Amino acid sequence: MAYTDNISRLSRLTAIHLKLQSNLYVSVEQLSEHFNISIRTVYRDLAALEQANVPIINVEGKGYTLMDGYKIPPVMFTESEANALIFAEKMMAKTKDESLIKEFNKAIEKVKAVLRTDEKNKADFLSNRTIIGKNWENEKTSNHLSTIQRALTNFEVLKIAYAKESDTHPTVRAIEPFAIYHSFSEDWILVAWCRLRNEFRNFRIDRMQTVICLNEKFTPHQITMEEYGEIQRQNYLDGNCPESNPNH
């Protein structure tokens, strides 16, 4: 095998290692298509990683994954990748939820920690020369998004005090988080099953006066995002879509 072939395979093994780190499960077919290599080569590469003490697990019907708890050394970023993250940091700064900004900034600090000195200098220079418009007053209207994200991924019930625009007093509700989206008006919206109304409703996060994570799990709803979106589309076409109104 030629020297350049060795370098090429080493780069591919590193990329496969990173892909296993970044995804819950990866199939042999996905790796074959992504790297444009044969199925046989994929198996040989996985075997090579195992020989290098990378704990790869094959889960039948799902694909390959890394052993839970396995830590990979810090990843080195290219200049272009670092620049993309700096842009993401700037765009995140204009969001209206304080908790999301705080958590993202902590993540960016970890990224910057693995940059070389010259890369850090370039990142700081780019940050100072990048301006993202809108929300010029740096308005922050909520501080609940991080709590909501954790509840959504852990299937935990939330108790919220929620006030519609026309309400003088908030309504206390128990809700089951389903999805989060960012509206055209730059408001964060939580789609959740409302136990008070017994249906899916949209809740503007800036109208949640309090958010408390209860010590209660709920059964994940057996509906995909695509199915939910189709239901919303049909309700909109039929002119009967009360839960699509974030005031509800």
Side-chain angles (χ1 to χ4, degrees):
M1 182 180 291
Y3 175 77
T4 53
D5 291 336
N6 279 323
I7 295 298
S8 177
R9 191 184 185 212
L10 178 60
S11 298
R12 189 175 69 243
L13 289 175
T14 303
I16 292 175
H17 196 179
L18 182 60
K19 198 163 187 65
L20 289 169
Q21 178 191 10
S22 305
N23 296 271
L24 189 57
Y25 297 104
V26 182
S27 70
V28 171
E29 291 75 17
Q30 287 173 325
L31 291 173
S32 173
E33 181 179 353
H34 183 80
F35 294 102
N36 194 28
I37 56 178
S38 67
I39 296 291
R40 182 179 179 182
T41 301
V42 172
Y43 281 120
R44 291 164 72 178
D45 285 351
L46 291 173
L49 288 172
E50 289 178 321
Q51 290 174 5
N53 297 320
V54 177
I56 300 174
I57 299 173
N58 181 17
V59 180
E60 187 175 356
K62 294 184 177 180
Y64 287 86
T65 186
L66 295 178
M67 181 183 294
D68 192 29
Y70 173 68
K71 302 296 183 183
I72 297 178
V75 176
M76 299 306 296
F77 292 89
T78 66
E79 182 176 344
S80 295
E81 291 168 341
N83 289 345
L85 290 169
I86 294 302
F87 264 72
E89 180 183 25
K90 284 289 185 178
M91 295 181 70
M92 188 63 67
K94 74 168 192 168
T95 188
K96 296 180 180 180
D97 188 89
E98 188 69 40
S99 67
L100 186 62
I101 297 172
K102 178 181 176 181
E103 296 301 325
F104 189 84
N105 286 344
K106 288 193 295 185
I108 286 292
E109 285 300 312
K110 293 179 181 179
V111 169
K112 289 180 178 179
V114 302
L115 297 178
R116 294 188 295 268
T117 301
D118 62 328
E119 293 171 334
K120 290 179 182 178
N121 290 336
K122 289 180 180 180
D124 289 340
F125 181 80
L126 180 62
S127 179
N128 291 331
R129 295 297 180 92
T130 302
I131 300 173
I132 303 295
K134 296 185 179 181
N135 198 15
W136 289 100
E137 297 180 357
N138 200 28
E139 180 187 18
K140 302 295 177 286
T141 57
S142 66
N143 194 28
H144 306 306
L145 196 51
S146 291
T147 299
I148 291 170
Q149 288 173 325
R150 289 193 298 271
L152 191 154
T153 57
N154 291 288
F155 306 108
E156 295 175 336
V157 179
L158 292 174
K159 183 172 76 172
I160 65 171
Y162 189 79
K164 295 184 290 186
E165 191 172 18
S166 58
D167 287 347
T168 55
H169 299 288
T171 302
V172 177
R173 311 168 185 233
I175 60 174
E176 301 171 2
F178 176 71
I180 301 169
Y181 73 90
H182 198 237
S183 70
F184 289 115
S185 59
E186 298 193 336
D187 294 310
W188 287 102
I189 310 294
L190 172 64
V191 181
W193 181 263
C194 178
R195 292 182 173 180
L196 179 66
R197 305 301 184 193
N198 202 35
E199 64 180 349
F200 282 109
R201 289 291 178 101
N202 289 358
F203 300 95
R204 267 182 47 175
I205 294 178
D206 63 320
R207 291 180 178 167
M208 297 179 183
Q209 296 185 6
T210 60
V211 177
I212 300 173
C213 190
L214 302 179
N215 188 24
E216 178 186 352
K217 299 277 189 177
F218 65 87
T219 302
H221 297 278
Q222 298 303 308
I223 181 174
T224 66
M225 283 298 300
E226 291 75 15
E227 291 169 341
Y228 177 80
E230 180 60 24
I231 292 172
Q232 294 298 295
R233 191 181 74 85
Q234 289 298 326
N235 284 334
Y236 177 80
L237 293 175
D238 295 339
N240 181 29
C241 190
E243 65 269 34
S244 65
N245 186 338
N247 291 332
H248 283 265

